[in-house]
Amino acid sequence: MDNVFVYVEIEATQVQEVSQELLTKGRKLANQLGVELHAVVCGTGIKGNVESQILPYGVDKLFVFDGDGLSPYTSAPHTDILVNLFKEERPQICLMGATVIGRDLGPRVSSSLTSGLTADCTQLEIGEYDDKKSGKHYDNLLYQIRPAFGGNIVATIVNPDHRPQMATVRSGVMKKAIYGGQARGEVVYPEVGKYVSPEAFVVKVIDRHVEAAKHNLKGAPIVVAGGYGVGGKDGFDLLFKLAKELHGEVGASRAAVDAGWVDHDRQIGQTGVTVHPKVYIACGISGQIQHIAGMQDSGIIISINSDPEAPINKIADYVITGTVEDVVPKLIKYYKQNSK
């Protein structure tokens, strides 16, 4: 009762990185609250194949639902499992990835349990809350923090009276880490039929195609990112040349993606990918809060911008004032000279 739960997402028998990131955060929240971290994973033929990918992140109890029809993912059986499991276990917090699956499953579970859900959180913290209208004081609530109103403000959302407090988080927002403390590591294998009705398996996946990632933007140690100030596709050609020399990847702001200068899967920010490179080179990016949310934890931030007052310069470690077409060719030239 009152424990922290993480829904673990898998592809076949491979645990997704976003779930390991959430397990790391969930462990920290559980420690703050003095409760246990529990996890639930559902699939077909996963028994004995997923436990070692989940337990090292500090899980006290892992629920493994292994049965026919649970993989590939379909909405109804996974919803039944979580709703009925949560009615038994009554967790106070549930975390999911803000993925295609999480965005489908989260609202279904929260609606069934009338618990509420905050999507695309960028921070999760524990704190207190005073309801001025009712005069009630609440301790140990989950602060669900996310940009709101188009990213113009950062909102802190609380759910005082309904459980579980549910939130989804994008991949890359949290950092995963093997837990160094002690956790019980109990594993149970519930009978799927006790949680899922036969009707839930009516929808079957006939064919499924998974497209391999074209790049490793999230895991790149160096990211060269372009914004609207790059000026067009020719400007991005320069960024690709620089990234090639640096053995990095190219990212973009939403404005550049919306202009059609680069593919959507390279978008960094609130509605794109979150990255944590060692070096982030921002080229022609103004630095709106939506973009900064996706790269602010970079090791070193270098800003190349013709506007010395650009907001991104405030968080940059180094600022180069100039246009992309003037500065980037020089960076390429001098890097080649000094790397021989």
Side-chain angles (χ1 to χ4, degrees):
M1 303 296 177
D2 290 333
N3 293 309
V4 176
F5 256 85
V6 173
Y7 171 79
V8 176
E9 196 171 317
I10 57 173
E11 177 62 41
T13 59
Q14 182 65 42
V15 172
Q16 299 301 285
E17 195 167 356
V18 64
S19 298
Q20 294 170 331
E21 293 165 357
L22 289 177
L23 288 169
T24 302
K25 184 62 179 182
R27 181 68 263 174
K28 293 177 181 176
L29 296 175
N31 287 348
Q32 282 183 266
L33 294 167
V35 299
E36 291 193 343
L37 172 65
H38 292 183
V40 53
V41 60
C42 312
T44 303
I46 62 173
K47 184 177 181 180
N49 295 313
V50 296
E51 295 86 345
S52 62
Q53 302 174 59
I54 299 171
L55 294 177
Y57 293 90
V59 176
D60 292 299
K61 189 173 184 179
L62 171 62
F63 296 82
V64 179
F65 287 85
D66 190 339
D68 294 335
L70 294 180
S71 182
Y73 169 86
T74 52
S75 304
H78 285 243
T79 300
D80 278 359
I81 287 172
L82 262 62
V83 168
N84 290 320
L85 178 64
F86 287 176
K87 285 179 179 178
E88 289 180 357
E89 297 294 322
R90 297 172 61 189
Q92 62 173 306
I93 292 172
C94 172
L95 306 178
M96 295 183 182
T99 61
V100 172
I101 290 176
R103 289 188 172 118
D104 175 76
L105 182 62
R108 294 174 186 273
V109 175
S110 66
S111 177
S112 297
L113 297 174
T114 62
S115 64
L117 170 72
T118 302
D120 292 333
C121 293
T122 54
Q123 290 178 263
L124 298 170
E125 298 174 4
I126 301 298
E128 59 182 23
Y129 171 68
D130 289 304
D131 188 333
K132 295 180 181 179
K133 188 174 181 179
S134 66
K136 291 183 179 179
H137 175 79
Y138 298 86
D139 289 314
N140 295 328
L141 288 183
L142 179 67
Y143 285 179
Q144 301 155 68
I145 303 168
R146 70 181 304 276
F149 292 102
N152 292 312
I153 67 168
V154 176
T156 299
I157 300 168
V158 294
N159 182 359
D161 297 316
H162 296 273
R163 297 292 179 269
Q165 302 165 86
M166 295 186 64
T168 64
V169 181
R170 288 176 182 270
S171 177
V173 173
M174 307 296 176
K175 295 182 180 180
K176 70 173 185 176
I178 300 296
Y179 184 54
Q182 294 293 321
R184 288 199 298 120
E186 178 187 357
V187 183
V188 295
Y189 302 94
E191 186 179 332
V192 174
K194 291 182 178 180
Y195 292 82
V196 186
S197 65
E199 292 78 16
F201 294 106
V202 169
V203 175
K204 298 184 184 300
V205 178
I206 298 173
D207 187 32
R208 184 169 180 263
H209 175 71
V210 179
E211 193 75 27
K214 297 177 183 178
H215 52 73
N216 184 28
L217 180 59
K218 195 176 77 169
I222 298 175
V223 172
V224 181
Y228 200 74
V230 168
K233 290 186 177 181
D234 290 343
F236 268 93
D237 288 342
L238 281 175
L239 302 194
F240 276 101
K241 289 178 182 177
L242 177 59
K244 184 178 179 181
E245 291 295 331
L246 300 176
H247 304 288
E249 284 285 0
V250 173
S253 69
R254 180 172 180 173
V257 171
D258 288 347
W261 300 340
V262 69
D263 292 339
H264 182 271
D265 60 0
R266 292 187 181 274
Q267 182 175 322
I268 294 169
Q270 179 190 347
T271 52
V273 178
T274 299
V275 295
H276 305 278
K278 294 179 180 178
V279 179
Y280 188 89
I281 305 175
C283 305
I285 293 175
S286 62
Q288 297 301 313
I289 190 173
Q290 298 97 320
H291 183 78
I292 288 175
M295 48 66 67
Q296 61 189 348
D297 291 328
S298 302
I300 296 173
I301 299 172
I302 302 170
S303 173
I304 301 171
N305 206 298
S306 58
D307 179 9
E309 302 300 322
I312 199 165
N313 292 350
K314 295 178 181 178
I315 67 166
D317 298 287
Y318 301 95
V319 176
I320 302 173
T321 302
T323 63
V324 170
E325 53 265 33
D326 286 338
V327 175
V328 172
K330 292 177 182 177
L331 290 178
I332 295 171
K333 175 184 174 181
Y334 290 121
Y335 181 79
K336 284 182 176 179
Q337 288 179 355
N338 291 305
S339 61
K340 292 180 180 179

